[in-house]
């Protein structure tokens, strides 16, 4: 039986199972393709761009050099301007110094003239008192008013700042009362000292050679103490004419003497008091002594 040639049987290819990473195509692409190609392309572009210009390092060096040149130019111009302006500034400064010196010299001359005039006025006043008869009444008036120089026994009281003046202490009574430095002698301290001496029987008082009168004022200007507008420098030497032993005892036992002792104990202010046999106190300058005159019938008639 003739038959047709038989075809070989067709074998079916079994289906491949799907890859587990089929859903991660992006990661697969990155893993399958190297990045060297990208680096190579970038290097080629940089090379092509650098062929027509300067290398990067050279451009950076040129930029840095240009910055240094600019900075040097600015400094040079500033120094030149300073040199040009220096003579003018120095000249103005010297002119100001000369002006201050001239004004200071003028003020010193005027102060000297004032002192001479005060001495002249005081001498004329004392002369007028002597010419009035030299009675004990006018002599006592001159002593008490400060118009006449006096001498006699009394006490010498020296008050000085503490050795540690300038340290200060916050929160203490002196600081709370407005004292910026608890070791400094203040005008109110000297006021209490003087008032205590007057109350204890002093007949005449001077501070650093400055005679006090009933019109004298002890004030402060910054850290300086002024007596009748004249600055005093520590230590402050107070001379009081009177019965020396009695005056010393009464003052030290008074409230003002105890106040001074408290300043010494608590704040280191240095004090010392001694009884003296003979103290010399000058007359106060420019003291005007006036006496009251009784009314006469003539004056009363003219007034009416």
């Amino acid at each position: 039986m003739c038959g047709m040639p038989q075809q070989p049987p067709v074998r079916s290819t079994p289906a491949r199972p799907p890859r587990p990473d089929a859903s991660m195509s992006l990661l697969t692409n990155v893993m399958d393709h190297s990045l060297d190609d990208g680096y190579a392309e970038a290097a080629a572009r940089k090379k092509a761009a650098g062929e027509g210009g300067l290398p990067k390092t050279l451009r950076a060096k040129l930029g840095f050099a240009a910055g240094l040149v600019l900075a040097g130019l600015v400094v040079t111009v500033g120094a030149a301007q300073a040199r040009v302006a220096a003579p003018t500034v120095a000249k103005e400064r010297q002119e100001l110094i000369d002006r201050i010196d001239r004004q200071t010299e003028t003020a010193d001359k005027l102060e000297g003239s004032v002192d001479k005039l005060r001495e002249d006025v005081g001498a004329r006043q004392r002369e007028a008192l002597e010419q009035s008869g030299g009675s004990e009444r006018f002599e006592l008036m001159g002593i008490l008013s400060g118009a006449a120089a006096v001498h006699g026994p009394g006490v010498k009281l020296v008050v000085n700042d503490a050795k540690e003046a300038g340290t200060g202490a916050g929160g203490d009574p002196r600081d709370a009362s407005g004292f910026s430095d608890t070791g400094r002698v203040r005008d109110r301290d000297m006021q209490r000292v003087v008032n205590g001496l007057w109350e204890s029987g002093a007949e005449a008082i001077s501070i650093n050679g400055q005679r006090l009168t009933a019109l004298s004022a002890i004030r402060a200007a910054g850290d300086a103490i002024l007596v009748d507008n004249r600055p005093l420098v520590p230590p402050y030497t107070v001379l009081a004419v009177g019965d020396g032993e009695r005056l010393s005892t009464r003052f030290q036992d008074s409230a003002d003497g105890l106040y001074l002792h408290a300043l010494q104990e608590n704040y280191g202010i240095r004090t010392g008091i001694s009884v003296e046999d003979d103290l010399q106190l000058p007359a106060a300058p420019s003291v005007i002594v006036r006496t009251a005159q009784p009314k006469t019938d003539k004056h009363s008639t003219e007034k009416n």
Side-chain angles (χ1 to χ4, degrees):
M1 173 175 156
C2 295
M4 297 190 60
Q6 294 182 352
Q7 295 291 335
V10 179
R11 297 181 180 180
S12 60
T13 304
R16 295 181 179 180
R19 292 182 57 176
D21 57 354
S23 59
M24 296 183 291
S25 59
L26 178 60
L27 293 177
T28 303
N29 185 41
V30 171
M31 296 297 295
D32 292 343
H33 296 83
S34 174
L35 296 179
D36 293 341
D37 296 339
Y39 286 125
E41 293 178 1
R45 286 196 299 271
K46 290 182 179 180
K47 184 177 180 181
E51 288 178 353
L54 296 174
K56 182 178 180 180
T57 55
L58 181 58
R59 289 200 304 272
K61 291 180 180 179
L62 291 176
F64 181 71
L68 290 178
V69 172
L70 181 61
L73 181 62
V74 171
V75 173
T76 303
V77 172
Q81 292 179 348
R83 282 196 298 269
V84 171
T88 303
V89 174
K91 182 179 179 180
E92 293 177 352
R93 181 176 181 274
Q94 187 61 43
E95 290 178 353
L96 182 59
I97 292 175
D98 295 340
R99 182 179 177 184
I100 293 174
D101 292 339
R102 289 193 300 269
Q103 295 297 331
T104 302
E105 184 178 357
T106 302
D108 292 340
K109 291 181 179 179
L110 292 176
E111 186 175 354
S113 300
V114 170
D115 291 338
K116 291 181 179 179
L117 291 174
R118 283 176 175 172
E119 293 176 359
D120 184 53
V121 171
R124 291 177 182 272
Q125 289 174 346
R126 289 189 292 272
E127 183 180 355
L129 287 174
E130 293 175 358
Q131 291 177 355
S132 63
S135 63
E136 294 182 359
R137 182 171 64 89
F138 284 100
E139 185 178 355
L140 179 61
M141 183 185 302
I143 293 175
L144 297 180
S145 64
V150 298
H151 71 92
V155 297
K156 177 181 178 181
L157 176 62
V158 179
V159 184
N160 197 3
D161 294 337
K163 292 183 179 179
E164 300 80 10
T167 56
D172 53 73
R174 250 170 101 82
D175 192 39
S177 300
F179 290 87
S180 59
D181 187 341
T182 59
R184 289 285 186 91
V185 178
R186 297 299 180 181
D187 57 331
R188 66 189 71 183
D189 301 333
M190 297 307 301
Q191 290 172 4
R192 294 201 60 167
V193 168
V194 170
N195 290 334
L197 289 171
W198 285 126
E199 186 178 0
S200 299
E203 300 174 4
I205 299 176
S206 69
I207 303 178
N208 286 14
Q210 183 73 17
R211 180 74 175 273
L212 301 183
T213 69
L215 301 178
S216 295
I218 302 176
R219 295 289 184 267
D223 289 334
I225 296 179
L226 307 181
V227 174
D228 293 337
N229 294 324
R230 290 193 173 189
L232 302 182
V233 179
Y236 307 102
T237 302
V238 183
L239 303 180
V241 172
D243 186 346
E245 293 289 348
R246 185 167 179 265
L247 179 58
S248 176
T249 302
R250 291 187 61 180
F251 172 75
Q252 294 185 67
D253 293 338
S254 67
D256 298 313
L258 295 175
Y259 170 81
L260 186 61
H261 181 71
L263 295 183
Q264 181 180 10
E265 290 293 327
N266 297 327
Y267 307 105
I269 289 179
R270 293 168 285 176
T271 64
I273 187 169
S274 60
V275 178
E276 303 292 334
D277 295 331
D278 189 25
L279 297 174
Q280 303 286 336
L281 274 66
S286 302
V287 175
I288 300 176
V289 180
R290 296 185 176 93
T291 59
Q293 299 293 334
K295 284 187 177 182
T296 62
D297 294 339
K298 180 180 179 181
H299 290 141
S300 302
T301 303
E302 290 178 356
K303 185 177 180 180
N304 294 332

